[in-house]
Amino acid sequence: MKARTRTLIAATLVLGIASGPAVAAHAADAARTPAPVAAASAGPVRAAGVDAPLFSTPPDAAALERAIAGLGADHPEATAALVRVGGTSGSWKGSSGVADIRSGRAAIEDARFRAGSVTKAFTAAVVLQLAAEHRLDLDRPVQEYLPGLLPGGPGGFEPVSVRQLLNYTSGLRSADGPGDDFADEYAHRFDVVDPRALIANAAAKGPGSRPGEKQHYSNIHYTVLGVLIEKVTGTTYEKAVSQRILKPLGLRDTSFPARTQTRIPGPHNHGYQAVPQPGGGSSLVDVTEWNSSSNWAAGDLISTTADLERFTVALFGGKVVPRPQLEEMFTVPDVQDAETGGHAVQTAGLKEFRLPGGRVVYGKTGGRFGYNTVIGGSRDLSRTLVYSVNSTDAKGRDMNKVAMGIVGAAFAG
């Protein structure tokens, strides 16, 4: 596929996540850039029972290699990238960059990383499992399950259904954070945050819109769903996801950090944030250690590309959520997006992406400082994509060019 077409695909798919500036400097002995390490499959494999797969040619290995070439301490966008492209049409995997800018060691291909909002796909899957088991009703107000959490009355909340939390149409406003820029967030990076305190903060603002009226993507919906999971299952959110998804799928390198945990367990590549300097240019601040309790059921998962690929294939294949309930993850509500004014694109735990030529894929992006993550693919599993990019502005509004190149190459053909 032509480079222009790959760029159009990437622009369609890559999600910018907001952020801001900060402080500190990286060591002067920053680093050589290892060449990409890659492996490609022999060719397409025909999916049983599928006459016309959405993707029928193998991944463009050369384009994928170019997309992750040259990463390291001196790259303007990312210090490392880990990529897995799979599906019945063929597979490719590769890594590039450095594990840390001080030593210049090559990026660890099976490294663990912060997956950010990819967590929401796991949370949604558990809620939909509980619905399939008739332990909760998607059309029932969450206030009936969690009395007092979203108070009604004058200026208060109308009944908000579980489904409206799943697809971000509840009308809840976002909870306040420590500040609007990186410096504020970095100063509070070790704070321990109670999810119920976040919900109380958001609820005190009152509804931003009526339930079911508009779609507003924010973490607070999934924070409430995390509390709901705990109420219905009688266990912690973390244990519920582990027992229902992680253990059955054998996701041994996937975990949720303890409430006070700041480190990534096991082998991992360091994450960095580029910070503008007064005299011009920027320096890299190591943001690997961070307390993620404020993200909880909306964004504190730690995983690997291999585990997330296994999860994506099992999820899309109907092995995590029963197929009747799985349709919620591929259904966009017929409402307006509150941010863009266009039509909604978020589903229950995933997002719909429309490619040039009319093809549709589904996926989930995640952004934590130092780490951008994507899972996704076509419903027929002819093409899947998982990546972790150690972006130096992972929560910035602009598209990460490395991620854009990966997405464009992965969904070409």
Side-chain angles (χ1 to χ4, degrees):
M1 182 174 282
K2 294 181 180 179
R4 174 172 171 77
T5 306
R6 284 196 296 268
T7 301
L8 285 171
I9 292 173
T12 303
L13 291 174
V14 178
L15 174 67
I17 307 172
S19 136
V23 285
H26 73 77
D29 55 343
R32 61 181 180 85
T33 302
V37 177
S41 71
V45 180
R46 189 172 182 80
V50 177
D51 293 327
L54 202 62
F55 295 88
S56 57
T57 59
D60 188 337
L64 286 161
E65 288 180 16
R66 287 193 299 271
I68 63 172
L71 305 186
D74 298 323
H75 194 280
E77 298 282 340
T79 56
L82 314 174
V83 184
R84 297 178 77 96
V85 181
T88 57
S89 59
S91 62
W92 183 93
K93 64 178 180 179
S95 63
S96 178
V98 296
D100 67 89
I101 62 175
R102 287 183 176 273
S103 70
R105 293 180 298 118
I108 303 166
E109 188 175 7
D110 59 352
R112 299 177 188 182
F113 50 83
R114 301 190 189 280
S117 286
V118 167
T119 308
K120 293 181 176 72
F122 287 74
T123 303
V126 171
V127 172
L128 293 171
Q129 286 179 354
L130 293 170
E133 296 163 12
H134 305 291
R135 297 179 67 180
L136 59 77
D137 185 338
L138 298 184
D139 293 315
R140 186 177 173 186
V142 70
Q143 290 96 326
E144 294 184 16
Y145 295 100
L146 301 169
L149 200 71
L150 301 176
F157 291 88
E158 298 178 53
V160 172
S161 73
V162 176
R163 178 178 283 107
Q164 288 164 343
L165 289 168
L166 283 168
N167 64 25
Y168 313 97
T169 62
S170 69
L172 271 70
R173 299 179 190 268
S174 298
D176 294 323
D180 296 327
D181 60 22
F182 173 72
D184 292 329
E185 296 207 42
Y186 186 77
H188 291 271
R189 68 193 183 280
F190 297 138
D191 289 0
V192 179
V193 179
D194 181 351
R196 285 183 177 267
L198 289 174
I199 297 170
N201 177 277
K205 300 177 182 180
S209 58
R210 296 191 67 188
E213 185 176 72
K214 294 181 181 179
Q215 186 171 82
H216 179 70
Y217 178 84
S218 70
N219 282 352
I220 195 63
H221 309 273
Y222 278 69
T223 305
V224 176
L225 289 172
V227 174
L228 177 63
I229 287 170
E230 293 193 330
K231 177 66 178 292
V232 174
T233 63
T235 189
T236 66
Y237 164 78
E238 294 83 357
K239 285 184 179 178
V241 179
S242 178
Q243 292 167 359
R244 290 171 165 273
I245 299 177
L246 306 190
K247 289 181 180 179
L249 294 183
L251 307 183
R252 297 179 179 84
D253 295 320
T254 301
S255 62
F256 291 93
R259 192 63 56 87
T260 59
Q261 182 178 326
T262 61
R263 296 185 177 184
I264 299 174
H268 58 274
N269 300 319
H270 284 236
Y272 299 92
Q273 173 72 20
V275 179
Q277 295 301 295
S282 62
S283 61
L284 296 179
V285 179
D286 193 319
V287 292
T288 309
E289 291 192 29
W290 205 287
N291 183 291
S292 61
S293 58
S294 63
N295 298 280
W296 194 47
D300 72 351
L301 190 78
I302 293 171
S303 193
T304 64
T305 55
D307 273 10
L308 291 181
E309 182 180 60
R310 180 177 293 187
F311 169 72
T312 303
V313 172
L315 180 68
F316 283 36
K319 297 179 180 178
V320 177
V321 176
R323 290 195 181 275
Q325 288 73 31
L326 183 61
E327 284 303 310
E328 298 285 340
M329 301 189 81
F330 299 110
T331 301
V332 177
D334 189 15
V335 296
Q336 184 184 60
D337 182 277
E339 298 289 328
T340 67
H343 196 275
V345 293
Q346 307 287 342
T347 72
L350 297 177
K351 180 179 179 180
E352 179 187 82
F353 299 94
R354 294 189 173 272
L355 306 180
R359 291 185 295 184
V360 177
V361 296
Y362 296 85
K364 189 72 196 78
T365 59
R368 296 292 314 281
F369 286 113
Y371 301 90
N372 277 142
T373 305
V374 152
I375 65 169
S378 56
R379 285 197 68 174
D380 66 1
L381 290 173
S382 58
R383 180 64 45 84
T384 62
L385 169 65
V386 175
Y387 70 64
S388 170
V389 173
N390 290 100
S391 168
T392 53
D393 190 17
K395 293 171 73 67
R397 292 187 180 278
D398 294 333
M399 293 180 183
N400 180 276
K401 293 179 182 178
V402 175
M404 185 169 9
I406 293 168
V407 170
F411 290 107

